[in-house]
Amino acid sequence: MNPPPSPLHERRAGVLLHPTSLPSALGKGDLGPHAYRFVEFLAAGGMGVWQVLPLSPPHDDDSPYHCLSTSAGNPLLISPELLVEQGWLDAADYDIACAAHNPGTARRALLAKARQGFLNSASAAEHEALSAFIAQHAYWLEDYALFQALRETYH
C-alpha cells in the first residue's frame, strides 16, 4: 500500500495570521473559540493552510520572533473560555476579567485561578497526563521554569 501523498506537493491557498490578531474580550486573541471559528471560516472559503508565527512566549516587546524559549508555548494563548468550559475556571471570574482595564494582567490572573481549579478538580487521568507531559519534557521544562522564576524575581 502506498503512503498518502504529502500535502506539501499540492497547491493550496492560505493565510498568515498570528492567533493574537484574532478578537478577544481580553485584548489579544488566543487559541479559543474565535480560533476555531476562524479555521471554520478558512475551510468554508477553500483555504487549506493557516500559517502562524512562532507561538512561544515573547519578550516584553510581544514580538513572536523574539521568544524566551524555542520549546515552551505562550501561556497567554491559552483560552480562558475553554478553561471555563473545562470547569477549571469560574465563569464569574472570566466576566470580571473581561471588564478589567488591563487585559494582560487579568489574563495572567485567570491562568493562576485556572491552575488552582485544575489542581482541585481535574480527574486522575488529567493529573496523570500532566505528570506525563512534565516527565516527557523535563529536558527543557525544568530549566525554563527556573529561568522564568529568576526572570520574574530579578527582572
Side-chain angles (χ1 to χ4, degrees):
M1 186 167 163
N2 293 332
S6 169
L8 299 176
H9 290 124
E10 61 185 66
R11 294 188 85 161
R12 295 175 294 162
V15 66
L16 169 65
L17 180 88
H18 198 269
T20 56
S21 297
L22 294 169
S24 170
L26 290 170
K28 297 176 184 171
D30 54 43
L31 295 172
H34 287 289
Y36 283 86
R37 282 194 287 281
F38 182 64
V39 168
E40 291 166 359
F41 169 78
L42 291 176
M47 300 288 168
V49 177
W50 175 13
Q51 182 177 348
V52 297
L53 303 173
L55 301 175
S56 300
H59 281 267
D60 296 333
D61 63 3
D62 282 339
S63 169
Y65 294 113
H66 192 205
C67 298
L68 295 167
S69 170
T70 58
S71 300
N74 184 350
L76 298 180
L77 293 175
I78 297 171
S79 168
E81 293 153 302
L82 297 181
L83 295 172
V84 169
E85 285 180 22
Q86 196 68 30
W88 300 335
L89 185 62
D90 187 57
D93 288 332
Y94 174 71
D95 292 340
I96 291 168
C98 289
H101 295 293
N102 189 337
T105 302
R107 189 181 288 265
R108 283 179 171 74
L110 287 177
L111 291 175
K113 288 182 180 190
R115 177 187 177 275
Q116 194 58 50
F118 173 86
L119 294 174
N120 293 339
S121 64
S123 69
E126 290 165 331
H127 280 283
E128 289 173 20
L130 175 60
S131 294
F133 177 87
I134 291 169
Q136 181 182 359
H137 296 277
Y139 68 94
W140 67 266
L141 186 56
E142 292 174 5
D143 288 338
Y144 179 70
L146 176 61
F147 166 74
Q148 283 293 73
L150 292 171
R151 185 173 185 266
E152 185 175 318
T153 300
Y154 297 108
H155 306 287

